[in-house]
């Protein structure tokens, strides 16, 4: 099944928000410049990256997103969210957001 995402970039707050389409969010956890949203059953359903230009230093000033997505990978001691985006310029950007298992994440 292909996951569908909705996303929004706010240039005033320098942040991007992405979540799974048609998924209910129950709660969030702040980890530095990242806010991770969870479904009622504890699965990761959304991600907000704050201070985007600080986290991606080479971004163009007039950034425009064409597509955004994320993938969740699970390991024994941590979970990693891989955020990917395609810019209007055709450039692709990606970052990893590691989460220690102290935060209850369900597979």
């Amino acid at each position: 099944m292909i996951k569908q995402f909705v996303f929004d970039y706010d240039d005033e707050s320098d942040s991007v928000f992405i979540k799974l389409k048609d998924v209910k969010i129950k709660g969030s956890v702040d980890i530095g410049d990242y806010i991770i949203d969870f479904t009622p059953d504890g699965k990761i359903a959304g991600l907000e990256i704050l201070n985007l230009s600080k986290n991606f230093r080479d971004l163009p000033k007039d950034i425009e997103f064409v597509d955004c997505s994320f993938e969740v990978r699970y390991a024994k001691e941590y979970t990693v969210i891989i955020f990917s985006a395609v810019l209007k310029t055709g450039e692709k950007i990606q970052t990893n957001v590691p989460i220690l298992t102290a935060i209850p994440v369900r597979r």
Side-chain angles (χ1 to χ4, degrees):
M1 179 165 92
I2 296 175
K3 295 179 180 179
Q4 294 184 330
F5 298 90
V6 293
F7 63 91
D8 182 46
Y9 171 67
D10 184 342
D11 60 340
E12 286 186 32
S13 67
D14 193 29
S15 64
V16 65
F17 172 73
I18 177 173
K19 79 173 210 66
L20 288 167
K21 187 176 183 176
D22 300 324
V23 173
K24 191 173 205 162
I25 303 293
K26 180 178 181 184
S28 302
V29 174
D30 293 12
I31 303 175
D33 285 339
Y34 304 95
I35 300 171
I36 300 162
D37 297 323
F38 295 91
T39 64
D41 62 350
K43 294 181 180 176
I44 296 173
L47 172 67
E48 184 171 5
I49 302 176
L50 308 173
N51 302 307
L52 195 65
S53 58
K54 181 180 95 177
N55 288 295
F56 295 94
R57 297 187 197 288
D58 297 331
L59 285 179
K61 291 201 182 245
D62 296 326
I63 186 172
E64 287 186 58
F65 288 94
V66 173
D67 190 30
C68 290
S69 63
F70 66 82
E71 176 185 348
V72 181
R73 293 193 183 163
Y74 301 95
K76 188 174 182 178
E77 288 106 20
Y78 59 90
T79 299
V80 175
I81 302 171
I82 303 166
F83 167 79
S84 302
V86 178
L87 307 181
K88 189 175 182 180
T89 61
E91 181 182 357
K92 295 178 183 178
I93 61 173
Q94 187 175 62
T95 191
N96 297 337
V97 183
I99 306 168
L100 298 176
T101 53
I103 298 172
V105 176
R106 296 203 178 195
R107 295 177 185 221

